[in-house]
Amino acid sequence: MEAIPRLIRIIAPLLLMFTFLPANGQFLKKLGKRAEKAAERTIERRVEKETAEKTDQVLDSILEPGQKKDPTPKTEQSDPTPQVNGAATDSDTRNQNQNGGNSEMQIGETDTKSITVYSKFDFVPGDKILFFEDFSNDFIGDFPSKWNTNGGGEIVTMNDSPEKWFELISGYGLYFIPDVPDLPEEYTIEFDIMAVGLDNKTSSTAILRVALSDDNKFKDGANFVHAHLPFCQYSAIGITMANHINNKREIYSTVRADLREEVLNRPHISIAVNKERFRLWVNEEKHIDIPRIVPQGAVLKTLKFHMNNFKDAKERIFITNLKVAEGGLDLRRTLISEGKVSTNGILFDSGSANIQPQSMGIIRQISQVLQQETAMKLKIVGHTDADGENDANLILSKKRADAVKNALVSIYSIGTDRLSTAGKGETEPIGDNSNADGKAQNRRVEFIKQ
């Protein structure tokens, strides 16, 4: 990094010489300072990029098992704009620009965060699924059948991807799921967000509110907890947390957080409620951890969503892969005491053995057991749902087990001789493969003491 100042001294004058015509000396002096800062940022980004590329080469076998990194630099697609496919009228005003994207959704190439970023991720999803929604059984253009609202919304797809999203409509509408069983005292919530049409004019009050309430209709209720996720782009707004206990406000506070980049790139939201404690992660980073904000006694029964202060038909919010699960079980104690643990919290890309980074909280817990119990050996068994051919699912489940083993070895330095793998495919279901809830239960990984 010592070379950076010298490079800046060379580059900054060149930028001025080739960019600007002769002008007022004071004006050029100001421009010179700007050029110097721009050159410094450019060099720093290049150094960071080269360092990241070398690290990624070591991790490719985890993120994309069996594939080698293409040394050819990727070029940006000529049109990164997502095509949102909803009702027939969506072809005009509803197709807006998106800053960022996701390659799985074919919106444009993005840099996948290194899985090592999640190596200290400490979120562990609940072990008993109460509700799972990927909208696979709903028709494009319809309001989702399991939800209710006093506003509006519809199911859409993006470009040619089969993945379905629920578009919320800005305004006074509330959205909730009557079919979710009453929320217990300990549970987790996870979902993905897609934001379209945001720019530096997006309001500082543009938020998506995630609410836990004792009201099973369209009111806040006498008891509630609200988390306001900001989508403003011109300033770092922070996450506002609020609650009422018996109609009395106890907490209203904004926690500092800069989510401007995250909300443009399909963030994964994770929430853990452990009695009075409320924690919230955006991707791998925990932003909220309040030990006493949830009313006591599991009085909050309903999960609700509300978006507000977005520009109609331009700034749009979508959610998918909503999972509510009871527990948040400490897998370490179960594995040690029972010698076996099963989890559906290790997630993979659809039809792939690529581990989704937010799964690292569970893999980290397994590594901690193996580091403590130095003589323990584990068999890792992968399972799939019944979508696709049985033979293909057998192969896929084995590859997924191998990917988990590879993560334990490469990230947490567990000896490869202590781990074996197997794949069962769809042959041992524990849920109903005819619905999304059952399929989510069947997509699981087992760890068995040998």
Side-chain angles (χ1 to χ4, degrees), residues 42-68:
T42 300
I43 295 167
E44 288 177 348
R45 283 196 298 267
R46 179 165 294 182
V47 172
E48 291 172 358
K49 180 175 182 293
E50 291 177 355
T51 303
E53 287 175 352
K54 292 183 182 298
T55 304
D56 287 343
Q57 291 173 5
V58 179
L59 297 168
D60 281 342
S61 60
I62 301 169
L63 288 169
E64 300 189 22
Q67 298 184 23
K68 293 184 178 180

PDB file of all heavy atoms in Angstrom, residues 42-68:
ATOM      1  N   THR A  42      -9.795   4.485  -6.567  1.00  0.00           N
ATOM      2  CA  THR A  42      -9.629   3.522  -7.659  1.00  0.00           C
ATOM      3  C   THR A  42      -8.544   2.509  -7.340  1.00  0.00           C
ATOM      4  O   THR A  42      -8.704   1.298  -7.528  1.00  0.00           O
ATOM      5  CB  THR A  42      -9.289   4.249  -8.963  1.00  0.00           C
ATOM      6  OG1 THR A  42     -10.357   5.140  -9.285  1.00  0.00           O
ATOM      7  CG2 THR A  42      -9.087   3.253 -10.108  1.00  0.00           C
ATOM      8  N   ILE A  43      -7.410   2.985  -6.844  1.00  0.00           N
ATOM      9  CA  ILE A  43      -6.293   2.085  -6.527  1.00  0.00           C
ATOM     10  C   ILE A  43      -6.661   1.146  -5.395  1.00  0.00           C
ATOM     11  O   ILE A  43      -6.382  -0.060  -5.436  1.00  0.00           O
ATOM     12  CB  ILE A  43      -5.038   2.911  -6.170  1.00  0.00           C
ATOM     13  CG1 ILE A  43      -4.579   3.713  -7.401  1.00  0.00           C
ATOM     14  CG2 ILE A  43      -3.914   2.008  -5.687  1.00  0.00           C
ATOM     15  CD1 ILE A  43      -3.554   4.783  -7.085  1.00  0.00           C
ATOM     16  N   GLU A  44      -7.306   1.692  -4.356  1.00  0.00           N
ATOM     17  CA  GLU A  44      -7.691   0.842  -3.230  1.00  0.00           C
ATOM     18  C   GLU A  44      -8.655  -0.250  -3.671  1.00  0.00           C
ATOM     19  O   GLU A  44      -8.553  -1.403  -3.238  1.00  0.00           O
ATOM     20  CB  GLU A  44      -8.308   1.691  -2.128  1.00  0.00           C
ATOM     21  CG  GLU A  44      -7.288   2.552  -1.396  1.00  0.00           C
ATOM     22  CD  GLU A  44      -7.939   3.436  -0.351  1.00  0.00           C
ATOM     23  OE1 GLU A  44      -9.180   3.537  -0.361  1.00  0.00           O
ATOM     24  OE2 GLU A  44      -7.203   4.011   0.466  1.00  0.00           O
ATOM     25  N   ARG A  45      -9.612   0.122  -4.543  1.00  0.00           N
ATOM     26  CA  ARG A  45     -10.552  -0.897  -5.016  1.00  0.00           C
ATOM     27  C   ARG A  45      -9.839  -1.987  -5.793  1.00  0.00           C
ATOM     28  O   ARG A  45     -10.162  -3.160  -5.690  1.00  0.00           O
ATOM     29  CB  ARG A  45     -11.636  -0.236  -5.886  1.00  0.00           C
ATOM     30  CG  ARG A  45     -12.703   0.504  -5.105  1.00  0.00           C
ATOM     31  CD  ARG A  45     -13.927   0.781  -5.966  1.00  0.00           C
ATOM     32  NE  ARG A  45     -13.618   1.621  -7.103  1.00  0.00           N
ATOM     33  CZ  ARG A  45     -13.735   2.948  -7.089  1.00  0.00           C
ATOM     34  NH1 ARG A  45     -14.137   3.561  -6.000  1.00  0.00           N
ATOM     35  NH2 ARG A  45     -13.448   3.665  -8.164  1.00  0.00           N
ATOM     36  N   ARG A  46      -8.839  -1.583  -6.589  1.00  0.00           N
ATOM     37  CA  ARG A  46      -8.112  -2.590  -7.379  1.00  0.00           C
ATOM     38  C   ARG A  46      -7.331  -3.535  -6.482  1.00  0.00           C
ATOM     39  O   ARG A  46      -7.307  -4.744  -6.694  1.00  0.00           O
ATOM     40  CB  ARG A  46      -7.176  -1.901  -8.370  1.00  0.00           C
ATOM     41  CG  ARG A  46      -6.363  -2.874  -9.208  1.00  0.00           C
ATOM     42  CD  ARG A  46      -5.732  -2.193 -10.394  1.00  0.00           C
ATOM     43  NE  ARG A  46      -6.734  -1.728 -11.331  1.00  0.00           N
ATOM     44  CZ  ARG A  46      -6.430  -1.134 -12.482  1.00  0.00           C
ATOM     45  NH1 ARG A  46      -5.164  -0.951 -12.822  1.00  0.00           N
ATOM     46  NH2 ARG A  46      -7.382  -0.727 -13.293  1.00  0.00           N
ATOM     47  N   VAL A  47      -6.677  -2.995  -5.446  1.00  0.00           N
ATOM     48  CA  VAL A  47      -5.935  -3.847  -4.511  1.00  0.00           C
ATOM     49  C   VAL A  47      -6.883  -4.814  -3.811  1.00  0.00           C
ATOM     50  O   VAL A  47      -6.615  -6.004  -3.682  1.00  0.00           O
ATOM     51  CB  VAL A  47      -5.183  -2.972  -3.476  1.00  0.00           C
ATOM     52  CG1 VAL A  47      -4.576  -3.848  -2.376  1.00  0.00           C
ATOM     53  CG2 VAL A  47      -4.083  -2.184  -4.170  1.00  0.00           C
ATOM     54  N   GLU A  48      -8.046  -4.292  -3.341  1.00  0.00           N
ATOM     55  CA  GLU A  48      -9.017  -5.152  -2.672  1.00  0.00           C
ATOM     56  C   GLU A  48      -9.531  -6.226  -3.616  1.00  0.00           C
ATOM     57  O   GLU A  48      -9.714  -7.376  -3.228  1.00  0.00           O
ATOM     58  CB  GLU A  48     -10.169  -4.303  -2.153  1.00  0.00           C
ATOM     59  CG  GLU A  48      -9.783  -3.394  -0.994  1.00  0.00           C
ATOM     60  CD  GLU A  48     -10.899  -2.433  -0.635  1.00  0.00           C
ATOM     61  OE1 GLU A  48     -11.944  -2.469  -1.320  1.00  0.00           O
ATOM     62  OE2 GLU A  48     -10.721  -1.672   0.322  1.00  0.00           O
ATOM     63  N   LYS A  49      -9.777  -5.856  -4.881  1.00  0.00           N
ATOM     64  CA  LYS A  49     -10.301  -6.802  -5.856  1.00  0.00           C
ATOM     65  C   LYS A  49      -9.316  -7.936  -6.096  1.00  0.00           C
ATOM     66  O   LYS A  49      -9.684  -9.113  -6.125  1.00  0.00           O
ATOM     67  CB  LYS A  49     -10.607  -6.083  -7.168  1.00  0.00           C
ATOM     68  CG  LYS A  49     -11.173  -6.979  -8.265  1.00  0.00           C
ATOM     69  CD  LYS A  49     -11.540  -6.133  -9.475  1.00  0.00           C
ATOM     70  CE  LYS A  49     -12.163  -7.008 -10.569  1.00  0.00           C
ATOM     71  NZ  LYS A  49     -11.202  -7.942 -11.145  1.00  0.00           N
ATOM     72  N   GLU A  50      -8.025  -7.594  -6.268  1.00  0.00           N
ATOM     73  CA  GLU A  50      -7.031  -8.637  -6.524  1.00  0.00           C
ATOM     74  C   GLU A  50      -6.877  -9.560  -5.319  1.00  0.00           C
ATOM     75  O   GLU A  50      -6.722 -10.768  -5.466  1.00  0.00           O
ATOM     76  CB  GLU A  50      -5.695  -7.981  -6.883  1.00  0.00           C
ATOM     77  CG  GLU A  50      -5.719  -7.270  -8.233  1.00  0.00           C
ATOM     78  CD  GLU A  50      -4.412  -6.567  -8.552  1.00  0.00           C
ATOM     79  OE1 GLU A  50      -3.523  -6.561  -7.675  1.00  0.00           O
ATOM     80  OE2 GLU A  50      -4.287  -6.032  -9.670  1.00  0.00           O
ATOM     81  N   THR A  51      -6.939  -8.997  -4.110  1.00  0.00           N
ATOM     82  CA  THR A  51      -6.849  -9.833  -2.913  1.00  0.00           C
ATOM     83  C   THR A  51      -8.041 -10.767  -2.817  1.00  0.00           C
ATOM     84  O   THR A  51      -7.911 -11.954  -2.508  1.00  0.00           O
ATOM     85  CB  THR A  51      -6.782  -8.942  -1.646  1.00  0.00           C
ATOM     86  OG1 THR A  51      -5.674  -8.066  -1.761  1.00  0.00           O
ATOM     87  CG2 THR A  51      -6.645  -9.793  -0.397  1.00  0.00           C
ATOM     88  N   ALA A  52      -9.241 -10.243  -3.092  1.00  0.00           N
ATOM     89  CA  ALA A  52     -10.450 -11.063  -3.018  1.00  0.00           C
ATOM     90  C   ALA A  52     -10.428 -12.189  -4.036  1.00  0.00           C
ATOM     91  O   ALA A  52     -10.866 -13.307  -3.770  1.00  0.00           O
ATOM     92  CB  ALA A  52     -11.684 -10.181  -3.224  1.00  0.00           C
ATOM     93  N   GLU A  53      -9.886 -11.894  -5.237  1.00  0.00           N
ATOM     94  CA  GLU A  53      -9.842 -12.923  -6.272  1.00  0.00           C
ATOM     95  C   GLU A  53      -8.967 -14.096  -5.853  1.00  0.00           C
ATOM     96  O   GLU A  53      -9.282 -15.259  -6.102  1.00  0.00           O
ATOM     97  CB  GLU A  53      -9.347 -12.316  -7.582  1.00  0.00           C
ATOM     98  CG  GLU A  53     -10.380 -11.428  -8.259  1.00  0.00           C
ATOM     99  CD  GLU A  53      -9.834 -10.739  -9.483  1.00  0.00           C
ATOM    100  OE1 GLU A  53      -8.596 -10.833  -9.719  1.00  0.00           O
ATOM    101  OE2 GLU A  53     -10.623 -10.108 -10.220  1.00  0.00           O
ATOM    102  N   LYS A  54      -7.851 -13.816  -5.204  1.00  0.00           N
ATOM    103  CA  LYS A  54      -6.976 -14.895  -4.759  1.00  0.00           C
ATOM    104  C   LYS A  54      -7.659 -15.735  -3.678  1.00  0.00           C
ATOM    105  O   LYS A  54      -7.534 -16.962  -3.649  1.00  0.00           O
ATOM    106  CB  LYS A  54      -5.658 -14.313  -4.229  1.00  0.00           C
ATOM    107  CG  LYS A  54      -4.791 -13.681  -5.317  1.00  0.00           C
ATOM    108  CD  LYS A  54      -3.469 -13.187  -4.777  1.00  0.00           C
ATOM    109  CE  LYS A  54      -2.634 -12.522  -5.874  1.00  0.00           C
ATOM    110  NZ  LYS A  54      -2.306 -13.449  -6.951  1.00  0.00           N
ATOM    111  N   THR A  55      -8.383 -15.067  -2.777  1.00  0.00           N
ATOM    112  CA  THR A  55      -9.105 -15.798  -1.736  1.00  0.00           C
ATOM    113  C   THR A  55     -10.208 -16.646  -2.339  1.00  0.00           C
ATOM    114  O   THR A  55     -10.428 -17.787  -1.940  1.00  0.00           O
ATOM    115  CB  THR A  55      -9.706 -14.805  -0.718  1.00  0.00           C
ATOM    116  OG1 THR A  55      -8.670 -14.001  -0.201  1.00  0.00           O
ATOM    117  CG2 THR A  55     -10.403 -15.548   0.412  1.00  0.00           C
ATOM    118  N   ASP A  56     -10.916 -16.104  -3.331  1.00  0.00           N
ATOM    119  CA  ASP A  56     -12.018 -16.833  -3.946  1.00  0.00           C
ATOM    120  C   ASP A  56     -11.559 -18.119  -4.611  1.00  0.00           C
ATOM    121  O   ASP A  56     -12.301 -19.110  -4.661  1.00  0.00           O
ATOM    122  CB  ASP A  56     -12.720 -15.955  -4.985  1.00  0.00           C
ATOM    123  CG  ASP A  56     -13.559 -14.873  -4.331  1.00  0.00           C
ATOM    124  OD1 ASP A  56     -13.838 -15.006  -3.126  1.00  0.00           O
ATOM    125  OD2 ASP A  56     -13.914 -13.906  -5.021  1.00  0.00           O
ATOM    126  N   GLN A  57     -10.335 -18.143  -5.128  1.00  0.00           N
ATOM    127  CA  GLN A  57      -9.857 -19.347  -5.788  1.00  0.00           C
ATOM    128  C   GLN A  57      -9.815 -20.524  -4.825  1.00  0.00           C
ATOM    129  O   GLN A  57     -10.073 -21.671  -5.200  1.00  0.00           O
ATOM    130  CB  GLN A  57      -8.464 -19.088  -6.371  1.00  0.00           C
ATOM    131  CG  GLN A  57      -8.467 -18.105  -7.547  1.00  0.00           C
ATOM    132  CD  GLN A  57      -7.062 -17.750  -7.994  1.00  0.00           C
ATOM    133  OE1 GLN A  57      -6.084 -18.301  -7.496  1.00  0.00           O
ATOM    134  NE2 GLN A  57      -6.961 -16.829  -8.937  1.00  0.00           N
ATOM    135  N   VAL A  58      -9.501 -20.244  -3.556  1.00  0.00           N
ATOM    136  CA  VAL A  58      -9.440 -21.307  -2.550  1.00  0.00           C
ATOM    137  C   VAL A  58     -10.830 -21.790  -2.195  1.00  0.00           C
ATOM    138  O   VAL A  58     -11.033 -22.947  -1.846  1.00  0.00           O
ATOM    139  CB  VAL A  58      -8.724 -20.780  -1.278  1.00  0.00           C
ATOM    140  CG1 VAL A  58      -8.670 -21.844  -0.207  1.00  0.00           C
ATOM    141  CG2 VAL A  58      -7.332 -20.303  -1.628  1.00  0.00           C
ATOM    142  N   LEU A  59     -11.828 -20.893  -2.318  1.00  0.00           N
ATOM    143  CA  LEU A  59     -13.167 -21.203  -1.814  1.00  0.00           C
ATOM    144  C   LEU A  59     -14.134 -21.685  -2.891  1.00  0.00           C
ATOM    145  O   LEU A  59     -15.262 -22.036  -2.599  1.00  0.00           O
ATOM    146  CB  LEU A  59     -13.750 -19.960  -1.149  1.00  0.00           C
ATOM    147  CG  LEU A  59     -12.972 -19.471   0.068  1.00  0.00           C
ATOM    148  CD1 LEU A  59     -13.438 -18.097   0.469  1.00  0.00           C
ATOM    149  CD2 LEU A  59     -13.108 -20.455   1.207  1.00  0.00           C
ATOM    150  N   ASP A  60     -13.688 -21.719  -4.154  1.00  0.00           N
ATOM    151  CA  ASP A  60     -14.601 -22.102  -5.222  1.00  0.00           C
ATOM    152  C   ASP A  60     -15.181 -23.493  -5.033  1.00  0.00           C
ATOM    153  O   ASP A  60     -16.321 -23.765  -5.396  1.00  0.00           O
ATOM    154  CB  ASP A  60     -13.889 -22.044  -6.586  1.00  0.00           C
ATOM    155  CG  ASP A  60     -13.785 -20.618  -7.087  1.00  0.00           C
ATOM    156  OD1 ASP A  60     -14.534 -19.769  -6.572  1.00  0.00           O
ATOM    157  OD2 ASP A  60     -12.961 -20.348  -7.966  1.00  0.00           O
ATOM    158  N   SER A  61     -14.385 -24.399  -4.465  1.00  0.00           N
ATOM    159  CA  SER A  61     -14.860 -25.766  -4.308  1.00  0.00           C
ATOM    160  C   SER A  61     -16.002 -25.864  -3.310  1.00  0.00           C
ATOM    161  O   SER A  61     -16.736 -26.846  -3.289  1.00  0.00           O
ATOM    162  CB  SER A  61     -13.711 -26.675  -3.850  1.00  0.00           C
ATOM    163  OG  SER A  61     -13.198 -26.222  -2.609  1.00  0.00           O
ATOM    164  N   ILE A  62     -16.144 -24.811  -2.445  1.00  0.00           N
ATOM    165  CA  ILE A  62     -17.245 -24.807  -1.484  1.00  0.00           C
ATOM    166  C   ILE A  62     -18.477 -24.172  -2.103  1.00  0.00           C
ATOM    167  O   ILE A  62     -19.576 -24.713  -2.046  1.00  0.00           O
ATOM    168  CB  ILE A  62     -16.853 -24.044  -0.208  1.00  0.00           C
ATOM    169  CG1 ILE A  62     -15.632 -24.713   0.422  1.00  0.00           C
ATOM    170  CG2 ILE A  62     -18.003 -24.003   0.787  1.00  0.00           C
ATOM    171  CD1 ILE A  62     -15.019 -23.894   1.518  1.00  0.00           C
ATOM    172  N   LEU A  63     -18.287 -23.016  -2.712  1.00  0.00           N
ATOM    173  CA  LEU A  63     -19.412 -22.309  -3.295  1.00  0.00           C
ATOM    174  C   LEU A  63     -19.967 -23.032  -4.508  1.00  0.00           C
ATOM    175  O   LEU A  63     -21.166 -23.059  -4.725  1.00  0.00           O
ATOM    176  CB  LEU A  63     -18.986 -20.894  -3.689  1.00  0.00           C
ATOM    177  CG  LEU A  63     -18.746 -19.932  -2.530  1.00  0.00           C
ATOM    178  CD1 LEU A  63     -18.081 -18.667  -3.032  1.00  0.00           C
ATOM    179  CD2 LEU A  63     -20.042 -19.608  -1.836  1.00  0.00           C
ATOM    180  N   GLU A  64     -19.095 -23.628  -5.328  1.00  0.00           N
ATOM    181  CA  GLU A  64     -19.532 -24.329  -6.520  1.00  0.00           C
ATOM    182  C   GLU A  64     -18.742 -25.627  -6.659  1.00  0.00           C
ATOM    183  O   GLU A  64     -17.786 -25.720  -7.403  1.00  0.00           O
ATOM    184  CB  GLU A  64     -19.351 -23.463  -7.767  1.00  0.00           C
ATOM    185  CG  GLU A  64     -20.153 -22.168  -7.686  1.00  0.00           C
ATOM    186  CD  GLU A  64     -20.152 -21.417  -8.994  1.00  0.00           C
ATOM    187  OE1 GLU A  64     -19.904 -22.052 -10.035  1.00  0.00           O
ATOM    188  OE2 GLU A  64     -20.390 -20.218  -8.977  1.00  0.00           O
ATOM    189  N   PRO A  65     -19.131 -26.674  -5.882  1.00  0.00           N
ATOM    190  CA  PRO A  65     -18.384 -27.928  -5.888  1.00  0.00           C
ATOM    191  C   PRO A  65     -18.287 -28.518  -7.291  1.00  0.00           C
ATOM    192  O   PRO A  65     -19.253 -28.533  -8.042  1.00  0.00           O
ATOM    193  CB  PRO A  65     -19.226 -28.831  -4.980  1.00  0.00           C
ATOM    194  CG  PRO A  65     -20.100 -27.920  -4.210  1.00  0.00           C
ATOM    195  CD  PRO A  65     -20.293 -26.704  -5.018  1.00  0.00           C
ATOM    196  N   GLY A  66     -17.094 -29.008  -7.605  1.00  0.00           N
ATOM    197  CA  GLY A  66     -16.884 -29.687  -8.868  1.00  0.00           C
ATOM    198  C   GLY A  66     -16.677 -28.767 -10.049  1.00  0.00           C
ATOM    199  O   GLY A  66     -16.527 -29.222 -11.176  1.00  0.00           O
ATOM    200  N   GLN A  67     -16.674 -27.458  -9.810  1.00  0.00           N
ATOM    201  CA  GLN A  67     -16.468 -26.516 -10.904  1.00  0.00           C
ATOM    202  C   GLN A  67     -15.223 -25.700 -10.662  1.00  0.00           C
ATOM    203  O   GLN A  67     -14.862 -25.426  -9.531  1.00  0.00           O
ATOM    204  CB  GLN A  67     -17.666 -25.568 -11.022  1.00  0.00           C
ATOM    205  CG  GLN A  67     -18.965 -26.288 -11.335  1.00  0.00           C
ATOM    206  CD  GLN A  67     -20.101 -25.303 -11.538  1.00  0.00           C
ATOM    207  OE1 GLN A  67     -19.863 -24.149 -11.861  1.00  0.00           O
ATOM    208  NE2 GLN A  67     -21.313 -25.758 -11.353  1.00  0.00           N
ATOM    209  N   LYS A  68     -14.560 -25.304 -11.721  1.00  0.00           N
ATOM    210  CA  LYS A  68     -13.384 -24.452 -11.632  1.00  0.00           C
ATOM    211  C   LYS A  68     -13.764 -23.041 -12.024  1.00  0.00           C
ATOM    212  O   LYS A  68     -14.620 -22.823 -12.867  1.00  0.00           O
ATOM    213  CB  LYS A  68     -12.270 -24.976 -12.541  1.00  0.00           C
ATOM    214  CG  LYS A  68     -11.701 -26.317 -12.086  1.00  0.00           C
ATOM    215  CD  LYS A  68     -10.541 -26.735 -12.949  1.00  0.00           C
ATOM    216  CE  LYS A  68      -9.931 -28.052 -12.477  1.00  0.00           C
ATOM    217  NZ  LYS A  68      -8.804 -28.469 -13.321  1.00  0.00           N
TER     218      LYS A  68
END
